[in-house]
Amino acid sequence: MTGLAAREAAALFPTYVRQPVTFVRGKGTRLYDDTGREYLDCLSGLSVTSLGHAHPAVAEAVAAQMRTLVHVSNLFYTHPQVELAERLAATLRWDGASTFFCNSGAEANEAAIKLSRRHGKRMHPEKVNVVALEGGFHGRLLGALLLTGSPAKHEPFQPLGEWVTHVAHDDAAAVDAAVDDRTCAVWVEAVQGEGGVRTVADDVLRAARAACDRHGALLVIDEVQTGIGRLGAWYGWQQTPVVPDVVCLAKALANGLPIGAVVARGPGMDAFQAGDHASTFGGGPVVSAAALAVLATIESEGLVEHAAAMGTVLTSRLTELTKRVGIAAGVRGRGLLQALVLAEPAAAAVAAAALEHGLVVNAVASDAIRVAPALLINEADLDEMAGRLESALRAIDAEGNGRHR
Ligand SMILES: *Cc1c(COP(=O)(O)O)cnc(C)c1O
């Protein structure tokens, strides 16, 4: 164990399984560890640093706001918060939209749960249930955890309540059958990120939309991981046949500063009344200024279109790997959120080998490697990614073949 690992083990809860690297600096798509070694970052935190590391526009905006006004609470008006809500509504291209700001993805989902209940209870006091998808991920707070469709994550903390029904992520008929008059919302992602980079099919989304319309429930799309350009559109739902009533945002919105948002249109817009929800830090001037800089940079540099173009390049680089290396079996996801699927459950070993070859990716499932670079990645970076990943795959492939002989 290195010195820092030993100190951490003595000082922090062991909730995180860390890779044996200590990063001290980043610039653009590159990270540097405490020995000065350079890495190509194709994970972006966890789909967070979409403008790369230490982006000057974000750094300038944050520094300027720090020198001007950091915090006054939500008892008062502040310019950056209102401006950010207006800018977000413009990216959603909704006629009208209402936003609540919080500090994380889980908090955005918690806010959306409360919003959905307020909406449902206007129709019936027991209209508080939610239908969500197996494999979905919505955060670690108690309500968001119950929405999350992995029983193993619930088990140590039961009981969590009985207001969520989970159905298979690829079963449109099951979604349709699960929604009834006590359902206040249906919860989906456009692409399940933590669930292994699995696209939710159009027919499932259509079934969810139709069931919500039939029963007066809200369709909530958790865009915490897929939003803000990641999939090659501002939001994942914009590439699907459905329009949600509510979206949850966080991760990339302030390029690494903690922020979350829930945005509603239509029937969700007037569900919250004064006093229904609050956050001490939510929508504070500094994170709002950072998010405004992120949105402005994405717009001025055409990064949504760029992400779509680079997503096509990424798909072809990963597909080439499946033809050249035995252990690489398939590709899923879209835009700049993709996974290389392996022929065996060796993702942890491949991700560790990739790190040794100077590439940051992660094992999003036991048999899948997530590749989620910054939106401003270029083709030369993606060629380098493919080269380093191929070396890692070959190292693990050779080990596996050695075992089998
Ligand atoms: C990461 C993630 C969350 C949780 O976000 P936190 O900021 O870690 O609370 C929720 N939903 C989705 C889709 C995510 O990817």
Side-chain angles (χ1 to χ4, degrees):
M1 231 189 312
T2 66
L4 195 61
R7 281 166 56 199
E8 164 156 330
L12 280 91
F13 283 116
T15 51
Y16 298 108
V17 178
R18 311 250 196 225
Q19 298 302 309
V21 176
T22 303
F23 290 121
V24 295
R25 189 165 67 82
K27 191 166 175 33
T29 55
R30 307 291 152 157
L31 281 167
Y32 301 86
D33 72 11
D34 56 356
T35 69
R37 188 162 176 215
E38 183 205 282
Y39 297 76
L40 173 59
D41 184 4
C42 282
L43 190 57
S44 313
L46 285 168
S47 307
V48 168
T49 52
S50 283
L51 298 186
H53 297 282
H55 194 283
V58 181
E60 291 306 322
V62 168
Q65 190 61 51
M66 288 291 287
R67 285 190 226 99
T68 308
L69 183 71
V70 174
H71 181 85
V72 293
S73 87
N74 278 310
L75 295 178
F76 306 97
Y77 294 102
T78 50
H79 279 283
Q81 183 173 150
V82 177
E83 236 173 274
L84 179 57
E86 290 171 351
R87 293 302 311 136
L88 272 181
T91 63
L92 282 156
R93 292 190 209 99
W94 288 346
D95 279 347
S98 288
T99 295
F100 177 87
F101 288 111
C102 49
N103 310 289
S104 68
E107 282 187 35
N109 279 276
E110 294 284 338
I113 293 166
K114 287 178 72 177
L115 184 83
S116 301
R117 286 196 170 199
R118 280 299 253 150
H119 166 75
K121 278 168 159 290
R122 291 189 292 203
M123 280 167 265
H124 191 284
E126 286 168 25
K127 193 173 175 66
V128 297
N129 295 337
V130 172
V131 174
L133 301 185
E134 289 169 8
F137 183 84
H138 305 292
R140 304 290 196 142
L141 303 178
L142 289 182
L145 179 61
L146 183 57
L147 288 180
T148 292
S150 0
K153 290 192 176 79
H154 297 169
E155 208 282 319
F157 305 102
Q158 294 285 19
L160 292 170
E162 293 182 342
W163 46 275
V164 179
T165 303
H166 285 102
V167 299
H169 86 284
D170 55 357
D171 190 343
V175 172
D176 182 70
V179 179
D180 63 24
D181 283 342
R182 296 293 177 266
T183 307
C184 68
V186 176
W187 232 266
V188 299
E189 290 156 272
V191 173
Q192 294 186 328
E194 298 311 301
V197 189
R198 288 173 201 279
T199 299
V200 176
D202 284 352
D203 69 325
V204 172
L205 296 174
R206 269 196 214 97
R209 179 70 271 176
C212 286
D213 291 342
R214 205 163 54 241
H215 293 279
L218 299 177
L219 177 61
V220 180
I221 303 196
D222 182 349
E223 296 258 8
V224 164
Q225 186 153 167
T226 51
I228 317 297
R230 169 74 33 208
L231 299 186
W234 271 106
Y235 302 97
W237 66 262
Q238 292 169 332
Q239 301 168 323
T240 77
V242 303
V243 181
D245 303 300
V246 177
V247 293
C248 298
L249 303 173
K251 291 202 162 93
L253 182 51
N255 208 47
L257 270 71
I259 189 171
V262 53
V263 191
R265 68 175 180 103
M269 274 178 73
D270 59 354
F272 270 156
Q273 301 303 314
D276 276 348
H277 203 37
S279 166
T280 295
F281 295 122
V286 176
V287 292
S288 296
L292 281 166
V294 167
L295 299 183
T297 303
I298 290 175
E299 239 150 51
S300 67
E301 298 187 7
L303 291 179
V304 174
E305 298 74 20
H306 182 72
M310 289 303 106
T312 306
V313 175
L314 176 57
T315 305
S316 74
R317 292 297 172 278
L318 294 177
T319 304
E320 284 158 21
L321 288 177
T322 65
K323 290 176 185 147
R324 282 212 300 275
V325 193
I327 195 177
V331 181
R332 36 177 211 243
R334 63 179 188 261
L336 291 177
L337 180 59
Q338 297 192 35
L340 181 71
V341 182
L342 306 179
E344 41 183 292
V350 169
L355 205 55
E356 280 170 22
H357 286 88
L359 175 68
V360 180
V361 289
N362 92 317
V364 72
S366 61
D367 66 346
I369 296 289
R370 172 168 40 190
V371 183
L375 305 190
L376 39 65
I377 194 131
N378 61 35
E379 214 165 323
D381 290 328
L382 289 174
D383 290 342
E384 202 176 331
M385 178 281 300
R388 293 183 187 192
L389 187 53
E390 180 164 351
S391 302
L393 290 164
R394 287 194 188 285
I396 300 308
D397 216 7
E399 259 177 39
N401 288 336
R403 268 200 309 278
H404 296 148
R405 270 196 295 271

